[in-house]
Amino acid sequence: MLFSTIKKALFFFTFFLFACNLPGGEKAFASPDPTEQFKPFLEKVVGNLADPALKKLSKKEQAAHMIKVVKERFDFTEMSKRVLNPKWRELSAQEQNEFQDLFTQLLQFVYVGKIEDYSGQKVQFTQQRMRGPRAEVQTELVDANRSIAISYLLKLENGQWMAYDVVVEGMSLVRNYREEFIKIITNDGYSQLVKQIQSKVNELEKQYTEK
Amino acid sequence: MIKTTLSSLWISQVMRGGRLALVAVLLLNATPVLAVDLLDDASYESVPGEMVADPIEPLNRAFFAFNDTFYLWVLDPVASGYSMILPEDIRGCVDNFFYNLAEPVRAVNCLLQGRISDSGIVLTRFVINSVFGVFGLADAAAHEFKLDPVHAAFGETLAVWGVGDGLYLVVPFFGPSTARDFLGVGVDTFAMTTYYPWRDDDMTLVSLAIAQRVNTTSLHLGEYQDMKSMSFDPYIAFRSGYFQMRSKRRQHGQPVDEAQLGN
């Protein structure tokens, strides 16, 4: 008896909370809409992943092609900066450039893997939120049986929303690498980190050409 | 139906016992465990509360290596074979079934954490899915009623009550956890076995636990290998990944959006 009363109260409370959560209010300031800018780009990426012509190219060409598409809305400088922070500031401009190239090469393989795995999943835009010049565009990658939450963190640069991190199910690409890189830098120094990324890139390259 | 009655009985028993604790929590006005805003640069620095001590790293690394071998040589081959026998739809249903069975425990954990409305959602999901989803085989609540799954576990309940993580733990056959959360897993599992329809037979319990594990693995084939091949020190990558995913799972609702507040 008591239980059913509690249950009724719970339901009432739930619905009350639902009602409070209804979307309200317009955006307070006028910067371009992140989702509006990012949506066509993501659709292009997915279109490329699904393109049968791409699968005929060699892995190396696939990687080069995808990175070209992705560069349109991914700021690899910002990504490199964040992944190496605070070490980044100590590097010379040339070292920064070298690191950025190397890190971009590493990230290529994230996308090559995605070409292989892609099997018709759709991107759904669930929500966005803004905080000053930053925005998070939340998406779900869905197929018949499951959905994966993928968030893109964007920064407003000259009127363009550029991505600086991808968060898959709460796991941030940049934060993950940052933690690994910091550990390598503290233990073995920066030059060792560069060496390790280089050998990882070679290893992945080899792995994909053998397939 | 029998299951529903059984579990509501169980809930009322637990509630009777846990009422004092519940009142205590409500009086303490439980605060959210972790609030990480990814848009904040601070989230790229070490996040306090997310950096759990790892004093037994050498031992954890040994268990990590053990789990790695176990996954690559036993679990993955078995799950791959299983995935060839059963189509993905059916494996998805099996997954839903096990998930649904654990809903009463989640509802109680929500209550113990002072998340009253979440508890209502979980119970509603349980009823809808048990009835319209045919014993939880389909997630009708999410698809037809827009009631998405809500996460709650006893590890989180302990966190809300102020119990610290203790230390990072890689558990053989199980994977990354912390001392507190693994204790929570034990409590949750024990609570579930009290109302499982097959709770009297240990052999069945163990076989079903294995079946559930194989089924879950079969829905995530290749993910472990992908992440491992992209990382420099898989131990660190998975440790960091575990804490990040956990903090996302426990972040109920969105961080406040300044734009919506009109700042």
Side-chain angles (χ1 to χ4, degrees):
Chain A
M1 194 56 210
L2 172 72
F3 184 60
S4 76
T5 321
I6 291 177
K7 215 161 145 188
K8 259 181 220 152
L10 282 182
F11 282 121
F12 180 74
F13 199 67
T14 312
F15 287 125
F16 172 71
L17 283 183
F18 267 133
C20 292
N21 262 329
L22 288 174
E26 288 292 303
K27 291 275 168 298
F29 54 90
S31 43
D33 189 68
T35 306
E36 225 164 78
Q37 280 195 358
F38 211 67
K39 200 174 172 181
F41 163 73
L42 266 192
E43 277 161 2
K44 194 169 152 191
V45 172
V46 173
N48 270 284
L49 289 178
D51 187 1
L54 191 65
K55 289 197 174 148
K56 291 191 191 111
L57 299 176
S58 76
K59 292 286 176 214
K60 212 169 174 164
E61 287 167 322
Q62 286 184 10
H65 176 78
M66 280 317 289
I67 215 76
K68 215 163 68 196
V69 176
V70 167
K71 260 189 178 150
E72 193 183 297
R73 286 239 173 246
F74 268 80
D75 183 346
F76 284 103
T77 314
E78 183 68 22
M79 278 179 121
S80 311
K81 201 160 132 186
R82 279 169 183 273
V83 87
L84 224 49
N85 193 30
K87 184 77 193 173
W88 178 262
R89 274 169 269 155
E90 297 168 21
L91 301 180
S92 69
Q94 197 200 338
E95 280 174 316
Q96 288 180 349
N97 279 336
E98 279 168 11
F99 179 82
Q100 192 188 320
D101 280 350
L102 200 56
F103 189 53
T104 312
Q105 278 184 48
L106 176 70
L107 293 183
Q108 284 183 0
F109 292 99
V110 177
Y111 288 95
V112 179
K114 294 292 160 286
I115 300 174
E116 281 192 346
D117 297 341
Y118 185 76
S119 55
Q121 289 90 343
K122 299 250 174 328
V123 182
Q124 284 176 358
F125 289 81
T126 44
Q127 232 177 346
Q128 74 173 20
R129 48 189 204 95
M130 282 159 80
R131 221 184 127 159
R134 307 274 173 77
E136 179 185 3
V137 172
Q138 299 171 359
T139 70
E140 300 258 342
L141 192 64
V142 274
D143 62 15
N145 294 299
R146 48 195 285 239
S147 73
I148 303 169
I150 304 180
S151 269
Y152 298 87
L153 304 187
L154 315 175
K155 198 181 160 204
L156 192 62
E157 293 167 13
N158 307 320
Q160 297 298 314
W161 287 103
M162 302 291 285
Y164 63 85
D165 199 359
V166 192
V167 185
V168 181
E169 293 288 350
M171 246 188 312
S172 138
L173 181 84
V174 170
R175 282 171 75 186
N176 244 29
Y177 274 129
R178 182 169 177 267
E179 202 161 332
E180 290 185 77
F181 289 177
I182 283 182
K183 185 111 181 173
I184 297 172
I185 293 173
T186 355
N187 289 349
D188 310 303
Y190 175 72
S191 60
Q192 191 58 35
L193 172 70
V194 174
K195 255 185 224 155
Q196 283 202 31
I197 302 179
Q198 187 63 62
S199 70
K200 189 83 198 176
V201 167
N202 295 342
E203 180 193 315
L204 286 164
E205 217 157 66
K206 211 172 128 216
Q207 188 186 322
Y208 276 111
T209 40
E210 274 170 4
K211 266 188 187 171
Chain B
M1 205 52 218
I2 295 166
K3 201 169 61 194
T4 322
T5 328
L6 261 176
S7 43
S8 22
L9 253 176
W10 180 79
I11 291 170
S12 54
Q13 271 169 8
V14 170
M15 278 185 65
R16 237 168 266 146
R19 200 173 301 144
L20 257 181
L22 176 66
V23 171
V25 171
L26 291 176
L27 285 177
L28 284 170
N29 194 11
T31 42
V33 188
L34 284 168
V36 179
D37 185 354
L38 288 168
L39 290 181
D40 199 337
D41 278 340
S43 76
Y44 285 88
E45 312 298 324
S46 305
V47 180
E50 217 180 281
M51 288 305 292
V52 175
D54 189 3
I56 52 163
E57 187 173 328
L59 184 67
N60 277 340
R61 278 191 186 268
F63 286 144
F64 183 82
F66 171 81
N67 283 346
D68 179 75
T69 314
F70 172 71
Y71 182 87
L72 295 176
W73 291 91
V74 182
L75 198 52
D76 186 82
V78 172
S80 304
Y82 168 81
S83 77
M84 283 172 213
I85 302 167
L86 278 185
E88 200 178 342
D89 305 8
I90 296 182
R91 285 181 281 132
C93 290
V94 173
D95 202 47
N96 287 339
F97 173 76
F98 283 116
Y99 185 89
N100 189 55
L101 265 187
E103 293 281 47
V105 171
R106 268 179 219 117
V108 173
N109 276 315
C110 282
L111 278 183
L112 295 178
Q113 291 167 28
R115 290 157 56 201
I116 310 291
S117 73
D118 276 352
S119 174
I121 293 174
V122 174
L123 279 178
T124 317
R125 278 179 50 83
F126 181 65
V127 173
I128 292 175
N129 284 339
S130 300
V131 179
F132 301 109
V134 195
F135 300 114
L137 290 175
D139 192 350
H143 293 130
E144 313 299 333
F145 296 86
K146 300 275 170 248
L147 288 172
D148 286 331
V150 172
H151 177 84
F154 195 66
E156 191 185 2
T157 304
L158 290 174
V160 172
W161 291 355
V163 180
D165 267 304
L167 46 92
Y168 179 64
L169 214 57
V170 180
V171 184
F173 298 110
F174 180 80
S177 192
T178 67
R180 178 195 69 207
D181 281 11
F182 191 62
L183 176 76
V185 170
V187 171
D188 284 336
T189 312
F190 177 75
M192 268 179 257
T193 52
T194 57
Y195 64 83
Y196 269 13
W198 48 80
R199 63 187 183 282
D200 293 331
D201 183 2
D202 286 349
M203 262 315 277
T204 320
L205 272 176
V206 173
S207 326
L208 277 162
I210 295 173
Q212 180 181 6
R213 183 68 182 277
V214 170
N215 189 72
T216 311
T217 310
S218 80
L219 292 167
H220 299 271
L221 288 173
E223 287 173 16
Y224 176 75
Q225 287 93 327
D226 275 356
M227 186 161 160
K228 198 181 146 197
S229 80
M230 288 303 296
S231 55
F232 293 82
D233 182 348
Y235 176 79
I236 302 281
F238 281 91
R239 189 177 67 187
S240 164
Y242 165 74
F243 285 115
Q244 289 185 52
M245 284 174 92
R246 190 183 76 165
S247 92
K248 155 106 196 282
R249 239 191 353 250
R250 294 184 179 177
Q251 190 173 308
H252 312 287
Q254 293 293 322
V256 182
D257 189 333
E258 273 180 29
Q260 274 175 11
L261 287 174
N263 290 338

